[in-house]
Amino acid sequence: MLWPLAGWGAFPNWVLVLFGILDMVIRLAALGIVPGNRRPTTAMAWLLAIFLIPLVGLPLFLMFGSYKLSSRRLRQQAEINQKVLEATRELKEPRSAMEAPTWVHSAAELNRTLGSFPVLDGNTVQLFADYRASIAAMTEAVRQAREYVNVEFYIMAKDEVTDELFEALQEAARRGVTVRLLFDHIGTLRVAGYRKFLRWLKQSGIQWHRMLPIFPVRGQWRRVDLRNHRKILVVDGHVAFTGSQNLIEPGYLRASSRRTGRGWVELMARLEGPIVTALNVVFATDWYSETDELLAHELFTPSSVTESGPMTCQVVPSGPGFEAENNLRLFNTLIYSAVERLSVCSPYFVPDDSLLYAITTAAQRGVDVELFVSEQGDQFLVHHAQRSYYQALLQAGVRIYLYPKPMVLHAKFLTVDGYVGVLGSSNLDMRSFSLNLEVSLMMLGDDIVPRLLEIADSYRKVSRELTLDEWARRPRGERYIDNVCRLTATLQ
């Protein structure tokens, strides 16, 4: 029975019969409702939770079982997708993509079909693996702004590292530059100094809004862990930044970070060229969702872009605003296309079956596959769920490098052979595929893979390789915890 009946002897029989019928109805309904549009493993996890711990599992499913956005947001996303397609319909795939291997063309076509954005030539890409250098570069770009600055990050805080950037944003607003700022409500709410940050924003002259706000009394309610995880900064449509870094000091203002010396290791890209406008469209989409203001003059138009660099790039937005899991499909396509070498860096590696098969199959067919992860994660459940996949990876021949604690390797990128590099905000985990709004950047060019591999080399130099023998000797208690946490990772 779903309902505990201990102590219910004083109730009339008809009450017990009624609850028995209700128990059966809920079970039958769950069997037919829960599996709908979910992975079988996810559906089974929810059903187990509902059947075995109903007083916990059923309320959790009602709160977290759906990852869909509101119909209004879905309609707005579709509207902008259509505008992008119409504005870029006449653009032909650039020669650089056509001359690449067939699988590169195939991946680009997939991205175009799912995310609407075309492949664009003529870009320059500068990588920043240094945390403070990235903040300084963004600050300098904001100081050069003449028309507008659009800023969108999952987490923000005005602290000793980011203070100069936020002051530059305020100065820009006061000299007449339109400064728009978006931050994820729950992501930023959890950071120390949130209220103080809001007070500063209110007097700054910056136009700001929370992304995916949770205010039940205002009718703003959705799945609490449905978050906007994107990181984008655009200045005047000429310069853009994107990657893994949030606008906060490297320890995330946590007392535990100060105590242990923990910091986050990031990777950002500074971009110039036509791809900047594409990233700005992603910002405009989220601004539209939060404000109902459509920045039509900043949407993609072919006449507004100029080619200035050697790189070919394509923006890949993803998240519950799209019917397909755009990022997961891209990652799987690229991994299955690898012939020689696959380098993957993800702070949270919790794959679904399709991604696990893709990466282990690549190793089994002779591809040199390496995975960079943190030795010690910052999130208990996710870190232990991630560890539960190490044995399958190691047995397949994947080389796992553990970035030394207490640091958190938060950079997110992968390279495929010598042709393609992808970086952005997306982790290789089920949350990033289904729940988070993410943005990724696929890049082609003679030097982008070597530059990303140089960063991977720097990680390898300080990391230690995990071996299958070492992993097989780990305590049984750790294995148990890893497996339990693996089950929770599928409750999406």
Side-chain angles (χ1 to χ4, degrees):
M1 296 286 288
L2 272 175
W3 313 101
L5 301 182
W8 284 30
F11 286 88
N13 288 337
W14 67 267
V15 173
L16 300 181
V17 171
L18 179 62
F19 274 96
I21 294 173
L22 180 60
D23 169 83
M24 185 59 64
V25 169
I26 290 176
R27 289 175 184 267
L28 292 175
L31 287 173
I33 294 173
V34 172
N37 293 321
R38 291 183 178 84
R39 299 180 181 88
T41 52
T42 300
M44 185 58 67
W46 276 120
L47 287 172
L48 284 172
I50 292 171
F51 276 53
L52 297 178
I53 45 173
L55 294 182
V56 176
L58 184 59
L60 285 178
F61 176 75
L62 295 175
M63 292 176 62
F64 299 107
S66 174
Y67 57 84
K68 294 298 182 183
L69 293 172
S70 68
S71 58
R72 179 183 67 84
R73 288 176 182 268
L74 293 174
R75 184 174 63 254
Q76 290 172 329
Q77 179 69 67
E79 180 182 345
I80 288 190
N81 288 352
Q82 186 60 36
K83 288 180 180 294
V84 171
L85 286 172
E86 291 173 357
T88 62
R89 195 180 306 278
E90 302 303 319
L91 289 181
K92 304 298 182 183
E93 187 173 40
R95 182 179 300 174
S96 57
M98 292 295 291
E99 292 178 349
T102 302
W103 60 266
V104 176
H105 168 81
S106 178
E109 183 63 25
L110 171 73
N111 296 337
R112 174 75 154 154
T113 299
L114 299 180
S116 301
F117 287 98
V119 180
L120 297 169
D121 267 343
N123 304 286
T124 60
V125 180
Q126 181 181 4
L127 300 179
F128 287 90
D130 181 273
Y131 202 107
R132 292 175 182 266
S134 172
I135 297 290
M138 286 187 273
T139 302
E140 179 60 27
V142 170
R143 286 174 175 160
Q144 302 300 318
R146 294 294 177 266
E147 298 178 18
Y148 66 84
V149 180
N150 292 333
V151 187
E152 171 181 354
F153 283 78
Y154 174 58
I155 291 175
M156 293 185 183
K158 192 172 185 292
D159 53 49
E160 68 274 13
V161 173
T162 64
D163 184 73
E164 195 171 2
L165 173 56
F166 282 107
E167 290 299 323
L169 290 169
Q170 183 181 53
E171 291 167 7
R174 289 178 175 176
R175 67 173 183 268
V177 175
T178 300
V179 180
R180 307 181 186 93
L181 184 145
L182 295 171
F183 60 86
D184 185 82
H185 183 195
I186 302 301
T188 299
L189 172 66
R190 297 176 299 175
V191 175
Y194 174 70
R195 297 298 176 189
K196 183 178 179 181
F197 180 55
L198 289 188
R199 290 194 295 272
W200 180 84
L201 282 175
K202 290 175 182 178
Q203 56 81 40
S204 67
I206 296 170
Q207 302 177 39
W208 62 275
H209 293 272
R210 303 172 180 87
M211 294 187 291
L212 297 174
I214 302 294
F215 290 117
V217 295
R218 303 180 192 175
Q220 295 176 323
W221 175 255
R222 62 187 58 80
R223 179 170 173 164
V224 177
D225 59 346
L226 201 67
R227 310 300 345 135
N228 193 319
H229 196 242
R230 293 168 178 158
K231 289 94 175 173
I232 299 172
L233 186 147
V234 179
V235 178
D236 292 343
H238 299 306
V239 178
F241 293 80
T242 193
S244 66
Q245 186 174 350
N246 288 296
L247 296 188
I248 190 171
E249 62 90 19
Y252 278 60
L253 297 174
R254 298 180 182 178
S256 60
S257 296
R258 291 193 297 271
R259 186 171 59 253
T260 62
R262 170 176 288 183
W264 270 242
V265 178
E266 307 286 1
L267 179 63
M268 291 291 284
R270 181 187 186 276
L271 303 143
E272 293 185 41
I275 200 65
V276 172
T277 307
L279 281 168
N280 203 38
V281 172
V282 179
F283 173 88
T285 303
D286 292 329
W287 186 263
Y288 188 27
S289 294
E290 303 304 343
T291 68
D292 286 326
E293 178 188 4
L294 180 60
L295 307 176
H297 60 291
E298 293 180 19
L299 294 180
F300 190 96
T301 54
S303 60
S304 69
V305 299
T306 58
E307 298 185 2
S308 60
M311 299 298 301
T312 301
C313 301
Q314 186 177 28
V315 166
V316 185
S318 58
F322 294 87
E323 292 184 4
E325 295 171 321
N326 301 358
N327 48 356
L328 173 60
R329 292 174 187 263
L330 171 61
F331 296 147
N332 280 340
T333 296
L334 293 178
I335 292 170
Y336 275 118
S337 300
V339 175
E340 299 173 357
R341 181 178 181 183
L342 180 68
S343 293
V344 180
C345 181
S346 179
Y348 313 115
F349 184 83
V350 186
D352 72 341
D353 286 345
S354 70
L355 182 61
L356 182 63
Y357 293 160
I359 198 166
T360 53
T361 300
Q364 290 164 341
R365 57 187 170 82
V367 179
D368 180 7
V369 183
E370 59 183 0
L371 172 65
F372 295 91
V373 293
S374 298
E375 180 180 19
Q376 183 181 67
D378 64 306
Q379 298 181 26
F380 180 86
L381 289 176
V382 177
H383 180 63
H384 281 279
Q386 172 176 293
R387 284 162 46 100
S388 74
Y389 293 93
Y390 287 173
Q391 183 167 340
L393 294 169
L394 291 167
Q395 288 176 334
V398 177
R399 303 183 71 174
I400 300 177
Y401 293 94
L402 304 178
Y403 199 87
K405 58 183 180 183
M407 305 303 286
V408 175
L409 183 58
H410 196 248
K412 314 159 199 292
F413 68 87
L414 81 159
T415 68
V416 185
D417 295 345
Y419 296 104
V420 173
V422 179
L423 65 77
S425 67
S426 179
N427 301 301
L428 270 69
D429 69 349
M430 287 182 273
R431 167 170 296 281
S432 286
F433 303 148
S434 300
L435 299 180
N436 290 345
L437 281 75
E438 307 281 7
V439 62
S440 302
L441 184 68
M442 188 173 81
M443 302 170 289
L444 317 176
D446 292 339
D447 70 338
I448 190 59
V449 170
R451 281 193 279 159
L452 286 170
L453 289 179
E454 284 183 10
I455 294 171
D457 290 342
S458 71
Y459 295 163
R460 192 184 303 102
K461 288 178 181 177
V462 299
S463 300
R464 69 177 182 87
E465 184 173 359
L466 179 66
T467 66
L468 183 57
D469 286 343
E470 175 190 347
W471 195 242
R473 294 195 303 269
R474 76 191 192 280
R476 291 184 180 274
E478 291 185 10
R479 299 184 190 188
Y480 179 83
I481 294 173
D482 293 345
N483 291 335
V484 171
C485 291
R486 178 170 177 160
L487 178 63
T488 66
T490 65
L491 293 178
Q492 301 183 4

